[in-house]
């Protein structure tokens, strides 16, 4: 895969379509907040904001947002760190046509969790999860590895999921790329196990 084909990733509605390793399915699937899940599997959690700016979105992001072609969006890139190790690279795009009343806190998030904001807002409607297997050379892999100070290699594959959120007239697309360290996180703490049984 090279060039434009890397930018047009195939996204699937069912997790089985990406053949993710069994240990990763726990992270890719399931409802609820990824932030809450990461917190339950680690002693400390923090959001490292890499950048927040206007940028050109990827072609498949434009399609998900209902844009006729890739264009300018508000973009946010973060690393979700568990016990100070990057576990997830998250990439969020919002059409520049969105207003402050659509996403009132987006521009001022800083190092706060977007997930906590989305799941705490009763006006937000969450779409269905989609899943993809990203290959070496995909722009989001390159950005994630650059943030880690690592180089891509030819056989590199990372798994990702994305979800489209709606609030009033606004759309917001969040893509989460799961980094190798996510598989090394501790088992969930007792409180999460108890919550899952209730």
């Amino acid at each position: 895969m090279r060039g434009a084909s890397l930018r047009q990733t195939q996204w699937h509605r069912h997790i089985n379509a990406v053949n993710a390793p069994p240990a990763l399915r726990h992270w890719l699937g399931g409802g609820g907040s990824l932030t809450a899940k990461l917190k339950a599997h680690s002693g400390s959690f923090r959001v490292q904001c890499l950048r927040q700016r206007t940028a050109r979105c990827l072609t498949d992001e434009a399609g998900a947002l209902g844009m006729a072609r890739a264009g300018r969006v508000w973009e946010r890139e973060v690393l979700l760190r568990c016990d100070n190790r990057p576990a997830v690279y998250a990439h969020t795009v919002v059409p520049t046509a969105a207003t402050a009343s659509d996403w009132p806190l987006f521009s001022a998030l800083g190092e706060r969790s977007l997930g906590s904001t989305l799941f705490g807002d009763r006006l937000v409607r969450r779409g269905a999860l989609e899943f993809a297997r990203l290959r070496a050379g995909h722009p989001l892999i390159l950005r994630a590895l650059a943030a880690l100070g690592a180089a891509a290699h030819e056989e590199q594959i990372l798994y990702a999921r994305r979800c489209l959120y709606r609030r009033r007239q606004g759309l917001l697309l969040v893509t989460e790329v799961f980094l190798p360290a996510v598989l090394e996180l501790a088992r969930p703490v007792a409180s999460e196990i108890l919550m899952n049984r209730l």
Side-chain angles (χ1 to χ4, degrees):
M1 276 192 177
R2 289 293 179 267
S5 61
L6 284 169
R7 297 177 178 275
Q8 190 65 39
T9 302
Q10 275 203 313
W11 289 90
H12 306 274
R13 287 293 182 100
H14 201 285
I15 194 171
N16 290 343
V18 298
N19 295 317
L24 197 57
R25 292 172 68 92
H26 165 76
W27 294 102
L28 284 168
S33 165
L34 178 61
T35 296
K37 189 182 285 191
L38 290 169
K39 286 180 176 178
H41 284 73
S42 58
S44 66
F45 170 85
R46 78 178 181 92
V47 176
Q48 178 188 353
C49 185
L50 302 173
R51 61 188 59 86
Q52 189 158 328
R53 62 186 181 183
T54 58
R56 186 179 179 83
C57 67
L58 302 179
T59 303
D60 61 333
E61 290 175 329
L65 291 166
M67 299 167 65
R69 65 184 67 84
R72 304 296 287 179
V73 293
W74 295 105
E75 173 187 77
R76 174 176 163 87
E77 294 179 279
V78 303
L79 289 175
L80 306 181
R81 304 181 75 99
C82 294
D83 301 322
N84 208 33
R85 297 190 66 192
V88 177
Y89 164 84
H91 184 252
T92 302
V93 290
V94 177
T96 54
T99 67
S101 65
D102 292 331
W103 302 107
L105 299 177
F106 183 74
S107 63
L109 277 171
E111 303 221 321
R112 286 180 293 168
S113 164
L114 174 61
S116 299
T117 303
L118 293 174
F119 281 88
D121 188 334
R122 282 186 271 179
L123 293 180
V124 173
R125 298 290 174 260
R126 187 186 193 203
L129 285 172
E130 295 183 315
F131 309 93
R133 187 170 51 203
L134 306 183
R135 298 184 181 277
H138 187 280
L140 295 185
I141 282 191
L142 295 177
R143 293 183 194 187
L145 294 178
L148 300 177
H153 53 81
E154 202 167 308
E155 300 304 315
Q156 185 108 37
I157 292 176
L158 292 178
Y159 293 85
R161 71 180 195 181
R162 73 180 186 184
C163 188
L164 185 68
Y165 294 85
R166 299 175 186 271
R167 188 182 188 280
R168 300 189 188 278
Q169 302 304 309
L171 298 176
L172 179 149
L173 182 69
V174 180
T175 303
E176 295 153 337
V177 181
F178 292 84
L179 304 174
V182 79
L183 297 178
E184 299 171 22
L185 295 180
R187 299 185 70 79
V189 296
S191 59
E192 186 197 33
I193 295 172
L194 180 62
M195 289 296 291
N196 289 337
R197 289 178 179 169
L198 296 178

Coordinates of all heavy atoms in Angstrom, one line a residue, residues 26-27 34 37-45 80-88 178-188:
H26 N -10.4 -6.8 23.9 CA -11.0 -6.1 25.1 C -10.9 -4.6 25.0 O -11.9 -3.9 25.4 CB -10.2 -6.6 26.3 CG -10.4 -5.8 27.5 ND1 -11.5 -5.9 28.3 CD2 -9.6 -4.8 28.1 CE1 -11.4 -5.0 29.3 NE2 -10.3 -4.4 29.2
W27 N -9.9 -4.1 24.3 CA -9.7 -2.6 24.2 C -10.5 -2.1 23.0 O -11.1 -1.0 23.1 CB -8.2 -2.3 24.1 CG -7.5 -2.6 25.3 CD1 -6.7 -3.7 25.6 CD2 -7.5 -1.9 26.5 NE1 -6.2 -3.7 26.8 CE2 -6.7 -2.6 27.5 CE3 -8.1 -0.7 26.9 CZ2 -6.5 -2.1 28.8 CZ3 -7.9 -0.3 28.2 CH2 -7.1 -1.0 29.1
L34 N -13.4 5.0 27.0 CA -12.1 4.4 27.0 C -11.3 5.0 28.1 O -10.5 4.3 28.8 CB -11.4 4.7 25.7 CG -10.0 4.1 25.6 CD1 -9.9 2.6 25.7 CD2 -9.4 4.5 24.2
K37 N -11.9 3.1 31.3 CA -11.3 1.8 31.2 C -9.8 1.9 31.4 O -9.2 1.0 32.2 CB -11.6 1.2 29.8 CG -11.2 -0.3 29.7 CD -11.5 -0.9 28.4 CE -12.9 -1.1 28.1 NZ -13.1 -1.9 26.9
L38 N -9.1 2.9 30.8 CA -7.7 3.0 31.0 C -7.3 3.3 32.5 O -6.4 2.8 33.0 CB -7.1 4.1 30.1 CG -7.1 3.8 28.6 CD1 -6.8 5.0 27.8 CD2 -6.1 2.7 28.3
K39 N -8.2 4.2 33.1 CA -7.9 4.5 34.5 C -8.1 3.3 35.4 O -7.3 3.1 36.3 CB -8.9 5.6 34.9 CG -8.6 7.0 34.4 CD -9.7 8.0 34.9 CE -9.3 9.4 34.4 NZ -10.3 10.4 34.9
A40 N -9.0 2.4 35.0 CA -9.2 1.2 35.8 C -8.1 0.2 35.7 O -7.9 -0.6 36.6 CB -10.6 0.6 35.4
H41 N -7.3 0.3 34.6 CA -6.2 -0.6 34.4 C -4.8 0.0 34.7 O -3.8 -0.6 34.4 CB -6.2 -1.1 32.9 CG -7.3 -2.0 32.6 ND1 -8.6 -1.7 32.5 CD2 -7.2 -3.4 32.3 CE1 -9.3 -2.8 32.2 NE2 -8.5 -3.8 32.1
S42 N -4.8 1.1 35.4 CA -3.5 1.7 35.7 C -3.5 2.5 37.0 O -4.6 2.8 37.5 CB -3.1 2.6 34.5 OG -4.1 3.7 34.3
G43 N -2.3 2.7 37.5 CA -2.3 3.5 38.8 C -2.4 4.9 38.6 O -2.9 5.7 39.4
S44 N -2.0 5.4 37.4 CA -2.1 6.9 37.1 C -2.4 7.0 35.6 O -2.0 6.2 34.8 CB -0.8 7.6 37.4 OG 0.3 7.2 36.6
F45 N -3.2 8.0 35.3 CA -3.6 8.3 33.9 C -3.5 9.8 33.7 O -3.8 10.6 34.5 CB -5.1 7.8 33.7 CG -5.7 8.3 32.4 CD1 -5.5 7.5 31.3 CD2 -6.4 9.5 32.3 CE1 -6.0 8.0 30.1 CE2 -6.9 9.9 31.1 CZ -6.7 9.1 30.0
L80 N -2.8 9.2 25.3 CA -3.3 8.8 26.6 C -2.3 7.9 27.3 O -1.9 6.8 26.8 CB -4.6 8.0 26.4 CG -5.7 8.7 25.5 CD1 -7.0 7.9 25.4 CD2 -6.0 10.1 26.1
R81 N -1.8 8.4 28.4 CA -0.7 7.8 29.1 C -1.2 7.1 30.4 O -1.8 7.7 31.2 CB 0.4 8.8 29.4 CG 0.9 9.6 28.2 CD 2.0 10.5 28.6 NE 3.3 9.9 28.8 CZ 4.2 9.8 28.0 NH1 4.1 10.3 26.8 NH2 5.4 9.2 28.3
C82 N -0.8 5.8 30.5 CA -1.1 5.1 31.7 C 0.2 4.7 32.4 O 1.1 4.2 31.8 CB -1.8 3.8 31.4 SG -3.4 4.1 30.7
D83 N 0.3 5.1 33.7 CA 1.6 4.9 34.4 C 2.8 5.5 33.7 O 3.8 4.9 33.6 CB 1.8 3.5 34.8 CG 0.7 2.9 35.6 OD1 0.2 3.6 36.5 OD2 0.3 1.7 35.4
N84 N 2.5 6.6 33.0 CA 3.4 7.4 32.2 C 3.9 6.8 30.9 O 4.8 7.3 30.3 CB 4.7 7.8 33.0 CG 5.2 9.1 32.5 OD1 4.5 10.0 32.1 ND2 6.6 9.3 32.5
R85 N 3.2 5.7 30.5 CA 3.5 5.0 29.2 C 2.4 5.3 28.2 O 1.2 5.1 28.6 CB 3.7 3.5 29.4 CG 4.9 3.2 30.3 CD 5.1 1.7 30.3 NE 5.6 1.3 28.9 CZ 5.6 0.0 28.5 NH1 5.3 -1.0 29.4 NH2 6.0 -0.3 27.3
P86 N 2.7 5.8 27.0 CA 1.7 6.0 26.0 C 1.0 4.7 25.7 O 1.6 3.8 25.2 CB 2.4 6.6 24.8 CG 3.8 7.0 25.4 CD 4.1 6.1 26.5
A87 N -0.3 4.7 25.9 CA -1.1 3.5 25.6 C -2.0 3.6 24.3 O -2.3 2.7 23.6 CB -2.0 3.1 26.8
V88 N -2.4 4.9 24.1 CA -3.3 5.1 23.0 C -3.0 6.5 22.4 O -2.7 7.5 23.1 CB -4.8 5.2 23.4 CG1 -5.8 5.5 22.3 CG2 -5.2 3.8 24.0
F178 N -4.4 2.1 19.1 CA -4.0 1.4 20.3 C -2.5 1.0 20.1 O -2.1 0.3 19.1 CB -4.8 0.1 20.5 CG -6.2 0.5 20.9 CD1 -7.2 0.8 20.0 CD2 -6.5 0.6 22.3 CE1 -8.5 1.2 20.4 CE2 -7.8 1.0 22.7 CZ -8.8 1.3 21.7
L179 N -1.7 1.5 21.0 CA -0.2 1.3 21.0 C 0.2 0.0 21.7 O -0.6 -0.5 22.5 CB 0.5 2.5 21.6 CG 0.1 3.9 20.9 CD1 0.7 5.0 21.7 CD2 0.5 3.9 19.5
P180 N 1.3 -0.5 21.4 CA 1.7 -1.8 22.0 C 1.6 -1.9 23.5 O 1.3 -2.9 24.1 CB 3.1 -2.0 21.5 CG 3.2 -1.3 20.2 CD 2.3 -0.1 20.4
A181 N 1.9 -0.7 24.2 CA 1.9 -0.7 25.7 C 0.6 -1.0 26.3 O 0.5 -1.4 27.4 CB 2.5 0.6 26.2
V182 N -0.5 -0.8 25.5 CA -1.9 -1.1 26.1 C -2.0 -2.5 26.5 O -2.7 -2.8 27.5 CB -3.0 -0.6 25.1 CG1 -3.2 -1.7 24.0 CG2 -4.3 -0.4 25.8
L183 N -1.3 -3.4 25.9 CA -1.4 -4.8 26.2 C -0.7 -5.2 27.5 O -0.8 -6.3 28.0 CB -0.9 -5.7 25.1 CG -1.7 -5.6 23.7 CD1 -1.0 -6.4 22.7 CD2 -3.1 -6.0 24.0
E184 N 0.1 -4.3 28.0 CA 0.9 -4.5 29.2 C 0.3 -3.9 30.4 O 0.8 -4.0 31.5 CB 2.3 -4.0 29.0 CG 3.1 -4.7 27.9 CD 4.4 -4.0 27.5 OE1 4.9 -3.3 28.4 OE2 4.9 -4.1 26.4
L185 N -0.9 -3.3 30.3 CA -1.5 -2.7 31.4 C -2.0 -3.7 32.4 O -2.3 -4.9 32.1 CB -2.7 -1.8 31.0 CG -2.3 -0.6 30.1 CD1 -3.6 0.2 29.7 CD2 -1.4 0.3 30.8
A186 N -2.1 -3.3 33.7 CA -2.5 -4.2 34.8 C -4.0 -4.6 34.6 O -4.7 -4.0 33.8 CB -2.4 -3.5 36.1
R187 N -4.3 -5.7 35.2 CA -5.7 -6.2 35.2 C -6.6 -5.1 35.9 O -6.1 -4.3 36.7 CB -5.8 -7.5 35.9 CG -5.0 -8.6 35.3 CD -5.2 -9.9 35.9 NE -6.6 -10.5 35.7 CZ -6.9 -11.1 34.6 NH1 -6.0 -11.2 33.6 NH2 -8.1 -11.6 34.4
P188 N -7.9 -5.1 35.6 CA -8.7 -4.0 36.1 C -8.8 -4.1 37.7 O -8.7 -5.2 38.2 CB -10.1 -4.3 35.5 CG -10.0 -5.7 35.0 CD -8.6 -6.0 34.7

